[in-house]
Amino acid sequence: MTDAGAERDPRSDERADAAASAGEPSARPSGDSVTGPGTDAGEFGRQVAAAAERSGLGLARGETLTGRDLIGALGGVRGLAEAILPGLVFLVVYTLTRELVPSLAASLGLAVVFTIVRLARRSSPTQAIAGLVAVGASAALALWTGRAEDNYVLGFYTNAAYGLALLISLLVGWPLLGLIVGFLMGDGTAWRSDRRKLRAMQLLTLIWLGLFTARLVVQVPFYFAGNVEALGATRLLMGVPLYALVLVFSWLVVRVVYPSAARLRE
């Protein structure tokens, strides 16, 4: 994955050359390609695209999608373990013991182990540290209130924040997925002047908004009912598996509205 200021992906040049050969304007991004009212949105889009590419939407660059690509976009095997196992361990231990402290200790301890392994192998510890902070903050809140269901509260705020950002982007006419995909594909903000692409980006933004909204709609009632087991299970099922499904759907839509260079030459 690359940052916004990193070396250009060669495939972006191929797409631009193919577009030029077809008599279409070049989609190759440049520092002067976004001017006027869209300048701020363009710079924001570059930053968001860089973050999105690191978090999985970089799949949009590929012409094919394999299981390895998908696992890599989700953080790799280790990243998946770091994302899933602490929550799974908490749920299992709490279901078996009905004790809050041992359940939180097991979950937090596993997150610590993941972080130590990352540091020992001198690999990027960012994901593990972020997971450790999230698990630690959730555990602290649950210990403070003495309620196991409060271990999931911070996730509600996270989903609400993402959902609100997506909703606002739709309302102001700059769908967030359009900004992400546009810069990942070397299109900048030109997609807004293409009705087909604009509608596709609105659809994708709406789909991702639906993901975060669905999590809240399903999980919040379990929280207020104090049903920790159902809350934990739906949290796991609507976490990585649902995220992966939406990610693949997004990739398919992007491949339709951004044909490969080979298709453009035909």
Side-chain angles (χ1 to χ4, degrees), residues 39-51 176 179-181 183-184 189:
T39 302
D40 291 340
E43 181 59 31
F44 174 71
R46 291 187 184 92
Q47 297 172 2
V48 173
L176 191 54
L179 290 173
I180 294 172
V181 173
F183 283 96
L184 286 177
T189 57

Side-chain angles (χ1 to χ4, degrees), residues 90 93-104:
F90 172 83
V93 175
Y94 185 80
T95 300
L96 294 176
T97 66
R98 310 299 298 180
E99 295 289 338
L100 178 59
V101 173
S103 304
L104 292 174

Side-chain angles (χ1 to χ4, degrees), residues 78-93:
R78 185 187 301 174
L80 287 172
E82 292 167 352
I84 296 173
L85 291 183
L88 178 61
V89 166
F90 172 83
L91 179 60
V92 171
V93 175

